[in-house]
Amino acid sequence: MSVDEKKEQPRESLEREIDAVVSAETAGLEPEQAGEIREKIRQRVRAEMEREIRLKTAADRREEARRIREERQKEKHAGEGRMFQRFNRNFRFQHMVMFSSVILLIVTGMPIKFPNFILSRFVISLWGGINNSTIVHRIGALMLVYFMVHHLLYTILSRDGRRDFVLLLPMPKDLRDAVQNIRYFLGKVKEKPRFGRFSYIEKFDYWAVYWGCIIMIGSGAFLWGESIALKYFPKFVLDIAHEMHSDEALLATLAIVIWHFYNVHFNPERFPGTLMWWHGQISEHEIKEEHPLEYEELMAKQAKTAAEVNPQ
Ligand code: HEM
């Protein structure tokens, strides 16, 4: 039996039922009047039923697509257990703005710092000359300022932002974890440190970016508004800003290339990198390995909620 035929069956039986009710209700009326009323009701009911069928098939299609998506996700992560949402959409958006702007700023800033380097000349020629390159540097700078403002508002105004900020504060446990990790790598202890939502490595990454943004935006603003700055500050303040901008840029670039790339890309357990920055999810296997304390907390919370919903 085709899908259309299946849909027709309940429609016909319902129409018969309605006919019977309407005939009973219009029994005392003139046949012409009764026929008119019956026809009006029939048209109304048919329109309503067709609308419902349309809505139902659209909802069915959406439901089916969702089921297929989930199935594919499950297949992809078979063996890794279920997935946990680690970063929300807002946070992922901020991260994307931040890394796009930093890449632009490095690519356009470094050739100014090392103008005689052959790669610098090549990159500047790709932008169509130094003028265009410095314009792109300023566009990257505005993106970074936007990111900083967005992140500050997110930290103050959203529940997840406030929670993460508190969890990112350095604690004495981080120092103990760092020492234990070094001892573990040296083979002195068998147990790796057990991290919560953020390890000391992630906290270091976060605060390095925070500090870096303050220095780069502060000193960059001086360079951008050089003539205005010279009206209010002595020249040596501008020289210091220039030095800070230039040196912190190199430090940030090296930190990203060595520290960050190793931790998230070249580390053998992660190579060639994860797509967490895109979908924000972490597998059960990974959360148990990397953030066991957070995993235990989540499980305890789930058990508590289940007990509240379904008391024995
Ligand atoms: C990750 C962030 C950034 C990096 C890596 C970076 C990198 C650099 C580098 C390497 C230089 C050349 C310094 C030298 O002459 O030795 C430079 C120049 C400059 N930067 Fe940045 N920068 C960043 C952010 C910013 C921001 C946020 C602003 C503005 C608020 C800014 C504005 C400038 C300006 C005005 C110059 C002078 C050269 C020009 O006219 O384009 N930069 N930057």
Side-chain angles (χ1 to χ4, degrees), residues 43-229:
Q43 278 176 8
R44 190 66 214 284
V45 169
R46 174 165 292 154
E48 193 56 34
M49 282 171 68
E50 275 169 3
R51 200 179 75 88
E52 259 182 36
I53 287 170
R54 266 202 313 278
L55 285 180
K56 178 133 183 21
T57 46
D60 282 351
R61 255 185 270 128
R62 274 200 303 277
E63 177 60 26
E64 181 65 6
R66 194 184 60 79
R67 199 186 58 72
I68 291 173
R69 260 201 319 274
E70 278 183 6
E71 205 99 305
R72 284 208 193 118
Q73 279 286 86
K74 263 191 218 151
E75 271 170 31
K76 211 165 133 198
H77 299 290
E80 293 191 355
R82 60 195 163 127
M83 301 300 284
F84 291 79
Q85 195 64 40
R86 180 159 168 76
F87 296 123
N88 65 27
R89 195 180 292 200
N90 190 326
F91 188 87
R92 281 177 279 147
F93 170 72
Q94 295 171 47
H95 183 247
M96 284 179 213
V97 174
M98 190 261 285
F99 75 65
S100 319
S101 72
V102 169
I103 291 171
L104 266 187
L105 287 162
I106 291 176
V107 170
T108 51
M110 283 304 154
I112 305 175
K113 186 169 170 62
F114 303 108
N116 296 323
F117 194 43
I118 187 148
L119 190 62
S120 303
R121 280 189 244 143
F122 172 69
V123 172
I124 287 176
S125 73
L126 282 185
W127 292 116
I130 189 72
N131 269 353
N132 292 354
S133 178
T134 54
I135 290 171
V136 179
H137 195 78
R138 282 158 171 79
I139 294 172
L142 291 177
M143 282 167 70
L144 193 71
V145 173
Y146 166 79
F147 153 72
M148 202 61 193
V149 173
H150 186 143
H151 185 66
L152 282 177
L153 291 176
Y154 172 78
T155 305
I156 296 166
L157 300 178
S158 87
R159 199 147 46 107
D160 284 357
R162 287 193 295 270
R163 177 205 58 191
D164 281 354
F165 183 81
V166 171
L167 293 177
L168 279 160
L169 291 172
M171 291 288 159
K173 178 180 182 305
D174 296 317
L175 194 63
R176 289 198 298 273
D177 285 351
V179 173
Q180 190 177 341
N181 219 12
I182 294 170
R183 287 170 57 79
Y184 172 76
F185 288 137
L186 293 175
K188 302 259 184 218
V189 288
K190 288 208 174 74
E191 289 282 306
K192 277 201 286 186
R194 288 162 54 77
F195 300 128
R197 180 162 167 79
F198 298 111
S199 66
Y200 71 92
I201 300 170
E202 288 155 337
K203 290 184 182 187
F204 186 88
D205 256 356
Y206 179 79
W207 289 108
V209 172
Y210 219 99
W211 172 244
C213 280
I214 293 171
I215 298 278
M216 295 314 283
I217 293 174
S219 58
F222 266 94
L223 301 184
W224 195 337
E226 197 176 24
S227 45
I228 303 174

